[in-house]
Amino acid sequence: MVAFTKLNGFVEHLAEGVHNLGSGQLVVALSNTAPGSEGTPPTGSTAACILANVTQVSYTNLSSRNVTTSSSSQSSGTYSLVNSDLVLTSSGGTTGPFRYVYLYNDTPTSPADPLIGYYDYGSSITLADTETFTIDFAATTITVA
Amino acid sequence: MPTEQELVASIAAKKAAYHEAAPTETAAALAVRDAAIRADMDALCVMLRGEAGPCPDCGAEPIGMLKTPAYVKKGREVPAVYAVRCANPKHPVRMSKAGSPRAAALLWNAGEFEVVKG
C-alpha cells in the first residue's frame, strides 16, 4: 500500500471553506510528472494547489475516476474520511504511463478542482487494454484532529 | 426500505445535483443537500454493517462499506469485497472483509479482524 502525501495547500483550502468532503465529488487524476517538477508545482503555494497545475495523462480509454465516499464523520473530535477502493479499467487501448495518482475535489469552483494529495507509485505504470488498477484508499484517507 | 443499489444510486444522483448547484446556491441551500447525502450515506453504512456489534476498542457502532466493487479483469469477474470497520481513527483500525455484508458482520462479531492501521 502506497503512502498518501497531503499537499500543503489543502489544509488552507480546508480551513477556508473550499472543501465539503462529505458532499463534494472526489476524483482521481493520473500524471507521469513529479509534483515538484510541474511548471507551477502544486506542492508550493496554496494558490498552486489545483488540478490545472498537474500534467495529466489521456483518459480516453479509462473508466470513471469518481471516488465513492463511504463515510465522512467525526469521533471524539477527530474527523475521518473513508473512501471505497477505486478500480480503474483501461478498455479500447492503453492508459498511461503514469506514476502519480492525485486526489482532488471536483465540486468547488473557487478555486476550481482543488487538490488534496497524491500517491507516488514509485515507477511509471501503463495499463494495457482490459487491465485494471486498484487504488486502495487504505483505512482512512484523511483524518483531521 | 431502499436496497443497497437504490441507496448507491440515490447518493450518486444527490452528489451530482450538489455538484451542479455548488457554484450558485447559498450555503444554507447546500447544507440541506449535504444533509440529504449524509442521511443516505449513513443509511447505507447501517444497512451494510447488518448485525455487526459495537467496536471492541471504543464501543462505537461500526460502519459497513463496499470496500472494493466487483470488476472484470481480462474477461473474468472479480467479486466485490465488503467490510465492517470502525470509523474512529483514534485507535487501531480493525476491519473484517468478506464477499458479502453479512459474512463481514459475522467475521466482525467473531473477532476476526485485520488491523489495517495501528
Side-chain angles (χ1 to χ4, degrees), chain A residues 20 22-24 69-70 72 75-76 78 80 84-85 106-107 109 132 136 138-140, chain B residues 15 18-19 22-23 34 38 41 45 66-69 71-73 85 87-90 116:
Chain A
N20 181 339
S23 300
T69 301
S70 296
S72 170
S75 177
S76 305
T78 298
S80 168
S84 294
D85 295 346
D106 197 27
T107 298
T109 53
T132 63
D136 184 340
T140 302
Chain B
K15 273 199 171 188
Y18 181 102
H19 187 92
D34 178 62
R38 283 164 189 269
M41 207 183 285
C45 285
L66 175 59
K67 175 63 175 160
T68 314
Y71 60 98
V72 175
K73 185 167 190 173
R85 54 158 292 177
N88 184 351
K90 288 194 165 181
V116 293

PDB file of all heavy atoms in Angstrom, chain A residues 20 22-24 69-70 72 75-76 78 80 84-85 106-107 109 132 136 138-140, chain B residues 15 18-19 22-23 34 38 41 45 66-69 71-73 85 87-90 116:
ATOM      1  N   ASN A  20     -16.075  20.614   0.883  1.00  0.00           N
ATOM      2  CA  ASN A  20     -17.030  19.851   1.673  1.00  0.00           C
ATOM      3  C   ASN A  20     -16.764  18.398   1.300  1.00  0.00           C
ATOM      4  O   ASN A  20     -17.240  17.926   0.255  1.00  0.00           O
ATOM      5  CB  ASN A  20     -18.477  20.244   1.364  1.00  0.00           C
ATOM      6  CG  ASN A  20     -19.465  19.442   2.219  1.00  0.00           C
ATOM      7  OD1 ASN A  20     -19.133  18.375   2.722  1.00  0.00           O
ATOM      8  ND2 ASN A  20     -20.661  19.960   2.373  1.00  0.00           N
ATOM      9  N   GLY A  22     -17.733  15.687   2.513  1.00  0.00           N
ATOM     10  CA  GLY A  22     -18.854  14.760   2.593  1.00  0.00           C
ATOM     11  C   GLY A  22     -19.717  14.778   1.346  1.00  0.00           C
ATOM     12  O   GLY A  22     -20.257  13.758   0.943  1.00  0.00           O
ATOM     13  N   SER A  23     -19.848  15.937   0.739  1.00  0.00           N
ATOM     14  CA  SER A  23     -20.753  16.081  -0.413  1.00  0.00           C
ATOM     15  C   SER A  23     -20.034  16.291  -1.734  1.00  0.00           C
ATOM     16  O   SER A  23     -20.602  16.016  -2.789  1.00  0.00           O
ATOM     17  CB  SER A  23     -21.692  17.269  -0.193  1.00  0.00           C
ATOM     18  OG  SER A  23     -22.461  17.071   0.952  1.00  0.00           O
ATOM     19  N   GLY A  24     -18.841  16.815  -1.688  1.00  0.00           N
ATOM     20  CA  GLY A  24     -18.113  17.070  -2.926  1.00  0.00           C
ATOM     21  C   GLY A  24     -17.775  15.768  -3.628  1.00  0.00           C
ATOM     22  O   GLY A  24     -17.642  14.722  -3.000  1.00  0.00           O
ATOM     23  N   THR A  69     -17.355   8.001  -1.573  1.00  0.00           N
ATOM     24  CA  THR A  69     -17.093   8.282  -0.154  1.00  0.00           C
ATOM     25  C   THR A  69     -18.040   7.430   0.684  1.00  0.00           C
ATOM     26  O   THR A  69     -19.259   7.572   0.603  1.00  0.00           O
ATOM     27  CB  THR A  69     -17.340   9.775   0.148  1.00  0.00           C
ATOM     28  OG1 THR A  69     -16.469  10.548  -0.678  1.00  0.00           O
ATOM     29  CG2 THR A  69     -17.067  10.085   1.604  1.00  0.00           C
ATOM     30  N   SER A  70     -17.471   6.543   1.495  1.00  0.00           N
ATOM     31  CA  SER A  70     -18.295   5.664   2.334  1.00  0.00           C
ATOM     32  C   SER A  70     -18.731   6.351   3.607  1.00  0.00           C
ATOM     33  O   SER A  70     -19.835   6.143   4.094  1.00  0.00           O
ATOM     34  CB  SER A  70     -17.519   4.390   2.687  1.00  0.00           C
ATOM     35  OG  SER A  70     -17.247   3.642   1.534  1.00  0.00           O
ATOM     36  N   SER A  72     -18.037  10.102   6.056  1.00  0.00           N
ATOM     37  CA  SER A  72     -17.388  11.370   6.366  1.00  0.00           C
ATOM     38  C   SER A  72     -17.929  11.770   7.729  1.00  0.00           C
ATOM     39  O   SER A  72     -19.072  12.203   7.837  1.00  0.00           O
ATOM     40  CB  SER A  72     -17.757  12.399   5.281  1.00  0.00           C
ATOM     41  OG  SER A  72     -17.339  13.697   5.648  1.00  0.00           O
ATOM     42  N   SER A  75     -15.298  11.464  15.312  1.00  0.00           N
ATOM     43  CA  SER A  75     -15.473  10.727  16.561  1.00  0.00           C
ATOM     44  C   SER A  75     -14.553  11.351  17.586  1.00  0.00           C
ATOM     45  O   SER A  75     -13.340  11.467  17.360  1.00  0.00           O
ATOM     46  CB  SER A  75     -15.109   9.253  16.346  1.00  0.00           C
ATOM     47  OG  SER A  75     -15.205   8.555  17.556  1.00  0.00           O
ATOM     48  N   SER A  76     -15.115  11.801  18.676  1.00  0.00           N
ATOM     49  CA  SER A  76     -14.337  12.460  19.735  1.00  0.00           C
ATOM     50  C   SER A  76     -13.483  13.592  19.191  1.00  0.00           C
ATOM     51  O   SER A  76     -12.346  13.790  19.618  1.00  0.00           O
ATOM     52  CB  SER A  76     -13.456  11.450  20.472  1.00  0.00           C
ATOM     53  OG  SER A  76     -14.220  10.388  20.963  1.00  0.00           O
ATOM     54  N   THR A  78     -12.144  13.936  16.216  1.00  0.00           N
ATOM     55  CA  THR A  78     -11.228  13.631  15.127  1.00  0.00           C
ATOM     56  C   THR A  78     -12.037  13.237  13.898  1.00  0.00           C
ATOM     57  O   THR A  78     -12.828  12.292  13.937  1.00  0.00           O
ATOM     58  CB  THR A  78     -10.262  12.488  15.497  1.00  0.00           C
ATOM     59  OG1 THR A  78      -9.465  12.908  16.600  1.00  0.00           O
ATOM     60  CG2 THR A  78      -9.353  12.142  14.330  1.00  0.00           C
ATOM     61  N   SER A  80     -12.760  11.847  10.134  1.00  0.00           N
ATOM     62  CA  SER A  80     -12.282  10.712   9.351  1.00  0.00           C
ATOM     63  C   SER A  80     -13.026  10.642   8.024  1.00  0.00           C
ATOM     64  O   SER A  80     -14.255  10.693   8.000  1.00  0.00           O
ATOM     65  CB  SER A  80     -12.517   9.439  10.173  1.00  0.00           C
ATOM     66  OG  SER A  80     -12.342   8.296   9.391  1.00  0.00           O
ATOM     67  N   SER A  84     -14.236   4.153  -0.563  1.00  0.00           N
ATOM     68  CA  SER A  84     -14.140   2.807  -1.134  1.00  0.00           C
ATOM     69  C   SER A  84     -12.970   2.770  -2.108  1.00  0.00           C
ATOM     70  O   SER A  84     -12.635   3.788  -2.724  1.00  0.00           O
ATOM     71  CB  SER A  84     -15.420   2.447  -1.884  1.00  0.00           C
ATOM     72  OG  SER A  84     -16.508   2.338  -1.018  1.00  0.00           O
ATOM     73  N   ASP A  85     -12.393   1.595  -2.246  1.00  0.00           N
ATOM     74  CA  ASP A  85     -11.336   1.447  -3.242  1.00  0.00           C
ATOM     75  C   ASP A  85     -11.901   1.770  -4.628  1.00  0.00           C
ATOM     76  O   ASP A  85     -13.074   1.543  -4.890  1.00  0.00           O
ATOM     77  CB  ASP A  85     -10.810   0.009  -3.259  1.00  0.00           C
ATOM     78  CG  ASP A  85     -10.125  -0.368  -1.953  1.00  0.00           C
ATOM     79  OD1 ASP A  85      -9.833   0.537  -1.156  1.00  0.00           O
ATOM     80  OD2 ASP A  85      -9.891  -1.568  -1.750  1.00  0.00           O
ATOM     81  N   ASP A 106     -13.773  17.718  -7.195  1.00  0.00           N
ATOM     82  CA  ASP A 106     -14.260  18.223  -8.477  1.00  0.00           C
ATOM     83  C   ASP A 106     -15.399  19.232  -8.316  1.00  0.00           C
ATOM     84  O   ASP A 106     -15.835  19.841  -9.291  1.00  0.00           O
ATOM     85  CB  ASP A 106     -14.753  17.034  -9.327  1.00  0.00           C
ATOM     86  CG  ASP A 106     -14.895  17.388 -10.797  1.00  0.00           C
ATOM     87  OD1 ASP A 106     -14.188  18.282 -11.264  1.00  0.00           O
ATOM     88  OD2 ASP A 106     -15.726  16.765 -11.479  1.00  0.00           O
ATOM     89  N   THR A 107     -15.894  19.417  -7.101  1.00  0.00           N
ATOM     90  CA  THR A 107     -17.075  20.261  -6.912  1.00  0.00           C
ATOM     91  C   THR A 107     -16.781  21.757  -6.772  1.00  0.00           C
ATOM     92  O   THR A 107     -17.460  22.570  -7.389  1.00  0.00           O
ATOM     93  CB  THR A 107     -17.892  19.760  -5.704  1.00  0.00           C
ATOM     94  OG1 THR A 107     -18.331  18.429  -5.985  1.00  0.00           O
ATOM     95  CG2 THR A 107     -19.095  20.643  -5.437  1.00  0.00           C
ATOM     96  N   THR A 109     -15.663  25.593  -7.146  1.00  0.00           N
ATOM     97  CA  THR A 109     -15.369  26.374  -8.352  1.00  0.00           C
ATOM     98  C   THR A 109     -14.417  27.535  -8.069  1.00  0.00           C
ATOM     99  O   THR A 109     -13.932  28.172  -8.992  1.00  0.00           O
ATOM    100  CB  THR A 109     -16.673  26.950  -8.936  1.00  0.00           C
ATOM    101  OG1 THR A 109     -17.361  27.659  -7.912  1.00  0.00           O
ATOM    102  CG2 THR A 109     -17.562  25.851  -9.468  1.00  0.00           C
ATOM    103  N   THR A 132      -6.642  -3.667 -15.183  1.00  0.00           N
ATOM    104  CA  THR A 132      -7.225  -2.851 -14.119  1.00  0.00           C
ATOM    105  C   THR A 132      -6.137  -2.365 -13.175  1.00  0.00           C
ATOM    106  O   THR A 132      -5.051  -2.957 -13.092  1.00  0.00           O
ATOM    107  CB  THR A 132      -8.271  -3.635 -13.312  1.00  0.00           C
ATOM    108  OG1 THR A 132      -7.623  -4.731 -12.663  1.00  0.00           O
ATOM    109  CG2 THR A 132      -9.393  -4.139 -14.189  1.00  0.00           C
ATOM    110  N   ASP A 136      -6.164   1.555  -3.570  1.00  0.00           N
ATOM    111  CA  ASP A 136      -6.584   1.149  -2.233  1.00  0.00           C
ATOM    112  C   ASP A 136      -6.498   2.366  -1.325  1.00  0.00           C
ATOM    113  O   ASP A 136      -5.402   2.839  -1.027  1.00  0.00           O
ATOM    114  CB  ASP A 136      -5.674   0.020  -1.736  1.00  0.00           C
ATOM    115  CG  ASP A 136      -6.115  -0.524  -0.387  1.00  0.00           C
ATOM    116  OD1 ASP A 136      -6.849   0.179   0.333  1.00  0.00           O
ATOM    117  OD2 ASP A 136      -5.700  -1.643  -0.053  1.00  0.00           O
ATOM    118  N   ALA A 138      -6.831   2.644   1.652  1.00  0.00           N
ATOM    119  CA  ALA A 138      -6.343   2.334   2.997  1.00  0.00           C
ATOM    120  C   ALA A 138      -7.441   2.480   4.037  1.00  0.00           C
ATOM    121  O   ALA A 138      -8.627   2.527   3.727  1.00  0.00           O
ATOM    122  CB  ALA A 138      -5.140   3.216   3.343  1.00  0.00           C
ATOM    123  N   ALA A 139      -7.042   2.574   5.293  1.00  0.00           N
ATOM    124  CA  ALA A 139      -8.034   2.587   6.367  1.00  0.00           C
ATOM    125  C   ALA A 139      -8.843   3.875   6.327  1.00  0.00           C
ATOM    126  O   ALA A 139     -10.061   3.868   6.290  1.00  0.00           O
ATOM    127  CB  ALA A 139      -7.341   2.424   7.707  1.00  0.00           C
ATOM    128  N   THR A 140      -8.150   4.968   6.317  1.00  0.00           N
ATOM    129  CA  THR A 140      -8.809   6.267   6.348  1.00  0.00           C
ATOM    130  C   THR A 140      -7.991   7.196   5.478  1.00  0.00           C
ATOM    131  O   THR A 140      -6.812   7.405   5.735  1.00  0.00           O
ATOM    132  CB  THR A 140      -8.868   6.804   7.796  1.00  0.00           C
ATOM    133  OG1 THR A 140      -9.561   5.856   8.609  1.00  0.00           O
ATOM    134  CG2 THR A 140      -9.597   8.126   7.853  1.00  0.00           C
TER     135      THR A 140
ATOM    136  N   LYS B  15     -25.309  13.668  -5.144  1.00  0.00           N
ATOM    137  CA  LYS B  15     -23.988  14.300  -5.261  1.00  0.00           C
ATOM    138  C   LYS B  15     -23.863  15.067  -6.573  1.00  0.00           C
ATOM    139  O   LYS B  15     -23.292  16.159  -6.623  1.00  0.00           O
ATOM    140  CB  LYS B  15     -22.886  13.241  -5.182  1.00  0.00           C
ATOM    141  CG  LYS B  15     -22.449  12.918  -3.777  1.00  0.00           C
ATOM    142  CD  LYS B  15     -21.090  12.254  -3.786  1.00  0.00           C
ATOM    143  CE  LYS B  15     -20.564  12.124  -2.384  1.00  0.00           C
ATOM    144  NZ  LYS B  15     -19.175  11.648  -2.349  1.00  0.00           N
ATOM    145  N   TYR B  18     -25.715  18.213  -6.150  1.00  0.00           N
ATOM    146  CA  TYR B  18     -24.936  19.118  -5.294  1.00  0.00           C
ATOM    147  C   TYR B  18     -23.810  19.757  -6.118  1.00  0.00           C
ATOM    148  O   TYR B  18     -23.570  20.963  -6.050  1.00  0.00           O
ATOM    149  CB  TYR B  18     -24.363  18.318  -4.123  1.00  0.00           C
ATOM    150  CG  TYR B  18     -23.549  19.126  -3.137  1.00  0.00           C
ATOM    151  CD1 TYR B  18     -24.097  19.525  -1.921  1.00  0.00           C
ATOM    152  CD2 TYR B  18     -22.233  19.489  -3.400  1.00  0.00           C
ATOM    153  CE1 TYR B  18     -23.370  20.261  -0.999  1.00  0.00           C
ATOM    154  CE2 TYR B  18     -21.494  20.233  -2.507  1.00  0.00           C
ATOM    155  CZ  TYR B  18     -22.061  20.609  -1.304  1.00  0.00           C
ATOM    156  OH  TYR B  18     -21.325  21.343  -0.399  1.00  0.00           O
ATOM    157  N   HIS B  19     -23.158  18.907  -6.872  1.00  0.00           N
ATOM    158  CA  HIS B  19     -22.044  19.345  -7.713  1.00  0.00           C
ATOM    159  C   HIS B  19     -22.513  20.438  -8.684  1.00  0.00           C
ATOM    160  O   HIS B  19     -21.846  21.458  -8.878  1.00  0.00           O
ATOM    161  CB  HIS B  19     -21.556  18.117  -8.476  1.00  0.00           C
ATOM    162  CG  HIS B  19     -20.323  18.306  -9.261  1.00  0.00           C
ATOM    163  ND1 HIS B  19     -19.072  18.037  -8.757  1.00  0.00           N
ATOM    164  CD2 HIS B  19     -20.132  18.725 -10.523  1.00  0.00           C
ATOM    165  CE1 HIS B  19     -18.173  18.293  -9.693  1.00  0.00           C
ATOM    166  NE2 HIS B  19     -18.778  18.695 -10.767  1.00  0.00           N
ATOM    167  N   ALA B  22     -23.474  23.668  -6.576  1.00  0.00           N
ATOM    168  CA  ALA B  22     -22.460  24.270  -5.697  1.00  0.00           C
ATOM    169  C   ALA B  22     -22.003  25.674  -6.114  1.00  0.00           C
ATOM    170  O   ALA B  22     -21.824  26.547  -5.260  1.00  0.00           O
ATOM    171  CB  ALA B  22     -21.258  23.336  -5.569  1.00  0.00           C
ATOM    172  N   PRO B  23     -21.837  25.953  -7.406  1.00  0.00           N
ATOM    173  CA  PRO B  23     -21.336  27.290  -7.775  1.00  0.00           C
ATOM    174  C   PRO B  23     -22.343  28.415  -7.555  1.00  0.00           C
ATOM    175  O   PRO B  23     -21.962  29.572  -7.475  1.00  0.00           O
ATOM    176  CB  PRO B  23     -21.018  27.155  -9.269  1.00  0.00           C
ATOM    177  CG  PRO B  23     -20.924  25.696  -9.533  1.00  0.00           C
ATOM    178  CD  PRO B  23     -21.866  25.056  -8.568  1.00  0.00           C
ATOM    179  N   ASP B  34     -26.508  18.659   1.525  1.00  0.00           N
ATOM    180  CA  ASP B  34     -25.473  17.896   2.226  1.00  0.00           C
ATOM    181  C   ASP B  34     -26.111  16.947   3.237  1.00  0.00           C
ATOM    182  O   ASP B  34     -25.717  15.779   3.344  1.00  0.00           O
ATOM    183  CB  ASP B  34     -24.526  18.876   2.933  1.00  0.00           C
ATOM    184  CG  ASP B  34     -23.447  18.170   3.726  1.00  0.00           C
ATOM    185  OD1 ASP B  34     -22.646  17.447   3.115  1.00  0.00           O
ATOM    186  OD2 ASP B  34     -23.420  18.320   4.960  1.00  0.00           O
ATOM    187  N   ARG B  38     -25.740  12.889   3.400  1.00  0.00           N
ATOM    188  CA  ARG B  38     -25.228  12.198   4.585  1.00  0.00           C
ATOM    189  C   ARG B  38     -26.247  11.208   5.148  1.00  0.00           C
ATOM    190  O   ARG B  38     -25.879  10.143   5.646  1.00  0.00           O
ATOM    191  CB  ARG B  38     -24.823  13.206   5.659  1.00  0.00           C
ATOM    192  CG  ARG B  38     -23.487  13.857   5.344  1.00  0.00           C
ATOM    193  CD  ARG B  38     -23.253  15.097   6.165  1.00  0.00           C
ATOM    194  NE  ARG B  38     -22.088  15.786   5.687  1.00  0.00           N
ATOM    195  CZ  ARG B  38     -20.857  15.583   6.153  1.00  0.00           C
ATOM    196  NH1 ARG B  38     -20.656  14.715   7.106  1.00  0.00           N
ATOM    197  NH2 ARG B  38     -19.836  16.255   5.666  1.00  0.00           N
ATOM    198  N   MET B  41     -25.933   8.232   3.066  1.00  0.00           N
ATOM    199  CA  MET B  41     -24.642   7.602   3.338  1.00  0.00           C
ATOM    200  C   MET B  41     -24.705   6.823   4.662  1.00  0.00           C
ATOM    201  O   MET B  41     -24.229   5.687   4.754  1.00  0.00           O
ATOM    202  CB  MET B  41     -23.579   8.708   3.420  1.00  0.00           C
ATOM    203  CG  MET B  41     -22.169   8.277   3.062  1.00  0.00           C
ATOM    204  SD  MET B  41     -21.030   9.653   3.274  1.00  0.00           S
ATOM    205  CE  MET B  41     -21.408  10.632   1.845  1.00  0.00           C
ATOM    206  N   CYS B  45     -24.377   2.788   5.328  1.00  0.00           N
ATOM    207  CA  CYS B  45     -23.421   2.219   6.291  1.00  0.00           C
ATOM    208  C   CYS B  45     -24.132   1.298   7.283  1.00  0.00           C
ATOM    209  O   CYS B  45     -23.619   0.229   7.637  1.00  0.00           O
ATOM    210  CB  CYS B  45     -22.684   3.333   7.038  1.00  0.00           C
ATOM    211  SG  CYS B  45     -21.421   4.156   6.053  1.00  0.00           S
ATOM    212  N   LEU B  66     -18.832  -0.934   1.089  1.00  0.00           N
ATOM    213  CA  LEU B  66     -18.354  -1.680  -0.069  1.00  0.00           C
ATOM    214  C   LEU B  66     -16.891  -1.304  -0.213  1.00  0.00           C
ATOM    215  O   LEU B  66     -16.567  -0.213  -0.659  1.00  0.00           O
ATOM    216  CB  LEU B  66     -19.140  -1.291  -1.319  1.00  0.00           C
ATOM    217  CG  LEU B  66     -18.667  -1.920  -2.630  1.00  0.00           C
ATOM    218  CD1 LEU B  66     -18.707  -3.430  -2.575  1.00  0.00           C
ATOM    219  CD2 LEU B  66     -19.507  -1.403  -3.791  1.00  0.00           C
ATOM    220  N   LYS B  67     -16.005  -2.193   0.233  1.00  0.00           N
ATOM    221  CA  LYS B  67     -14.577  -1.869   0.219  1.00  0.00           C
ATOM    222  C   LYS B  67     -14.062  -1.753  -1.214  1.00  0.00           C
ATOM    223  O   LYS B  67     -13.432  -0.767  -1.576  1.00  0.00           O
ATOM    224  CB  LYS B  67     -13.808  -2.946   0.992  1.00  0.00           C
ATOM    225  CG  LYS B  67     -12.300  -2.822   0.961  1.00  0.00           C
ATOM    226  CD  LYS B  67     -11.807  -1.554   1.608  1.00  0.00           C
ATOM    227  CE  LYS B  67     -10.270  -1.545   1.659  1.00  0.00           C
ATOM    228  NZ  LYS B  67      -9.764  -0.175   1.828  1.00  0.00           N
ATOM    229  N   THR B  68     -14.318  -2.795  -2.005  1.00  0.00           N
ATOM    230  CA  THR B  68     -13.901  -2.778  -3.414  1.00  0.00           C
ATOM    231  C   THR B  68     -15.050  -3.306  -4.264  1.00  0.00           C
ATOM    232  O   THR B  68     -15.523  -4.415  -4.026  1.00  0.00           O
ATOM    233  CB  THR B  68     -12.670  -3.683  -3.648  1.00  0.00           C
ATOM    234  OG1 THR B  68     -11.699  -3.445  -2.634  1.00  0.00           O
ATOM    235  CG2 THR B  68     -12.050  -3.426  -5.001  1.00  0.00           C
ATOM    236  N   PRO B  69     -15.533  -2.527  -5.215  1.00  0.00           N
ATOM    237  CA  PRO B  69     -16.638  -3.019  -6.058  1.00  0.00           C
ATOM    238  C   PRO B  69     -16.193  -4.169  -6.954  1.00  0.00           C
ATOM    239  O   PRO B  69     -15.002  -4.322  -7.228  1.00  0.00           O
ATOM    240  CB  PRO B  69     -17.011  -1.778  -6.881  1.00  0.00           C
ATOM    241  CG  PRO B  69     -15.782  -0.948  -6.890  1.00  0.00           C
ATOM    242  CD  PRO B  69     -15.074  -1.196  -5.586  1.00  0.00           C
ATOM    243  N   TYR B  71     -15.473  -6.104 -10.308  1.00  0.00           N
ATOM    244  CA  TYR B  71     -14.997  -5.607 -11.596  1.00  0.00           C
ATOM    245  C   TYR B  71     -14.543  -6.769 -12.466  1.00  0.00           C
ATOM    246  O   TYR B  71     -14.372  -7.899 -11.977  1.00  0.00           O
ATOM    247  CB  TYR B  71     -13.848  -4.597 -11.404  1.00  0.00           C
ATOM    248  CG  TYR B  71     -12.634  -5.135 -10.692  1.00  0.00           C
ATOM    249  CD1 TYR B  71     -11.514  -5.572 -11.401  1.00  0.00           C
ATOM    250  CD2 TYR B  71     -12.592  -5.200  -9.304  1.00  0.00           C
ATOM    251  CE1 TYR B  71     -10.383  -6.040 -10.746  1.00  0.00           C
ATOM    252  CE2 TYR B  71     -11.474  -5.686  -8.638  1.00  0.00           C
ATOM    253  CZ  TYR B  71     -10.376  -6.098  -9.372  1.00  0.00           C
ATOM    254  OH  TYR B  71      -9.264  -6.584  -8.704  1.00  0.00           O
ATOM    255  N   VAL B  72     -14.379  -6.476 -13.726  1.00  0.00           N
ATOM    256  CA  VAL B  72     -13.962  -7.503 -14.680  1.00  0.00           C
ATOM    257  C   VAL B  72     -12.506  -7.272 -15.043  1.00  0.00           C
ATOM    258  O   VAL B  72     -12.111  -6.149 -15.375  1.00  0.00           O
ATOM    259  CB  VAL B  72     -14.839  -7.466 -15.949  1.00  0.00           C
ATOM    260  CG1 VAL B  72     -14.330  -8.457 -16.985  1.00  0.00           C
ATOM    261  CG2 VAL B  72     -16.291  -7.765 -15.588  1.00  0.00           C
ATOM    262  N   LYS B  73     -11.718  -8.317 -14.935  1.00  0.00           N
ATOM    263  CA  LYS B  73     -10.303  -8.218 -15.288  1.00  0.00           C
ATOM    264  C   LYS B  73      -9.979  -9.317 -16.297  1.00  0.00           C
ATOM    265  O   LYS B  73     -10.110 -10.495 -15.976  1.00  0.00           O
ATOM    266  CB  LYS B  73      -9.429  -8.363 -14.040  1.00  0.00           C
ATOM    267  CG  LYS B  73      -7.953  -8.160 -14.309  1.00  0.00           C
ATOM    268  CD  LYS B  73      -7.169  -8.002 -13.022  1.00  0.00           C
ATOM    269  CE  LYS B  73      -5.756  -7.553 -13.296  1.00  0.00           C
ATOM    270  NZ  LYS B  73      -5.027  -7.236 -12.074  1.00  0.00           N
ATOM    271  N   ARG B  85     -16.004  -2.001   9.705  1.00  0.00           N
ATOM    272  CA  ARG B  85     -14.889  -1.369  10.383  1.00  0.00           C
ATOM    273  C   ARG B  85     -15.411  -0.233  11.257  1.00  0.00           C
ATOM    274  O   ARG B  85     -16.535   0.235  11.103  1.00  0.00           O
ATOM    275  CB  ARG B  85     -13.884  -0.794   9.385  1.00  0.00           C
ATOM    276  CG  ARG B  85     -14.505   0.149   8.374  1.00  0.00           C
ATOM    277  CD  ARG B  85     -13.496   1.068   7.771  1.00  0.00           C
ATOM    278  NE  ARG B  85     -12.987   2.007   8.757  1.00  0.00           N
ATOM    279  CZ  ARG B  85     -12.039   2.905   8.549  1.00  0.00           C
ATOM    280  NH1 ARG B  85     -11.498   2.982   7.377  1.00  0.00           N
ATOM    281  NH2 ARG B  85     -11.630   3.720   9.484  1.00  0.00           N
ATOM    282  N   ALA B  87     -15.103   3.676  12.251  1.00  0.00           N
ATOM    283  CA  ALA B  87     -14.622   4.891  11.576  1.00  0.00           C
ATOM    284  C   ALA B  87     -13.827   5.783  12.512  1.00  0.00           C
ATOM    285  O   ALA B  87     -13.334   6.836  12.102  1.00  0.00           O
ATOM    286  CB  ALA B  87     -15.793   5.671  11.002  1.00  0.00           C
ATOM    287  N   ASN B  88     -13.704   5.388  13.778  1.00  0.00           N
ATOM    288  CA  ASN B  88     -12.949   6.193  14.743  1.00  0.00           C
ATOM    289  C   ASN B  88     -11.455   6.010  14.492  1.00  0.00           C
ATOM    290  O   ASN B  88     -10.923   4.918  14.679  1.00  0.00           O
ATOM    291  CB  ASN B  88     -13.306   5.748  16.163  1.00  0.00           C
ATOM    292  CG  ASN B  88     -12.638   6.608  17.223  1.00  0.00           C
ATOM    293  OD1 ASN B  88     -11.784   7.423  16.908  1.00  0.00           O
ATOM    294  ND2 ASN B  88     -13.025   6.415  18.470  1.00  0.00           N
ATOM    295  N   PRO B  89     -10.759   7.060  14.077  1.00  0.00           N
ATOM    296  CA  PRO B  89      -9.335   6.923  13.768  1.00  0.00           C
ATOM    297  C   PRO B  89      -8.432   7.034  14.990  1.00  0.00           C
ATOM    298  O   PRO B  89      -7.213   7.053  14.853  1.00  0.00           O
ATOM    299  CB  PRO B  89      -9.093   8.090  12.806  1.00  0.00           C
ATOM    300  CG  PRO B  89     -10.053   9.127  13.267  1.00  0.00           C
ATOM    301  CD  PRO B  89     -11.252   8.413  13.833  1.00  0.00           C
ATOM    302  N   LYS B  90      -9.023   7.115  16.181  1.00  0.00           N
ATOM    303  CA  LYS B  90      -8.201   7.333  17.374  1.00  0.00           C
ATOM    304  C   LYS B  90      -7.663   6.036  17.979  1.00  0.00           C
ATOM    305  O   LYS B  90      -7.030   6.062  19.027  1.00  0.00           O
ATOM    306  CB  LYS B  90      -9.019   8.096  18.425  1.00  0.00           C
ATOM    307  CG  LYS B  90      -9.238   9.553  18.037  1.00  0.00           C
ATOM    308  CD  LYS B  90      -9.727  10.378  19.198  1.00  0.00           C
ATOM    309  CE  LYS B  90      -9.572  11.856  18.889  1.00  0.00           C
ATOM    310  NZ  LYS B  90     -10.005  12.697  20.007  1.00  0.00           N
ATOM    311  N   VAL B 116      -5.676  -2.685  10.027  1.00  0.00           N
ATOM    312  CA  VAL B 116      -5.212  -2.029   8.811  1.00  0.00           C
ATOM    313  C   VAL B 116      -4.494  -0.721   9.097  1.00  0.00           C
ATOM    314  O   VAL B 116      -3.896  -0.118   8.222  1.00  0.00           O
ATOM    315  CB  VAL B 116      -6.367  -1.799   7.818  1.00  0.00           C
ATOM    316  CG1 VAL B 116      -6.877  -3.119   7.286  1.00  0.00           C
ATOM    317  CG2 VAL B 116      -7.499  -1.030   8.477  1.00  0.00           C
TER     318      VAL B 116
END
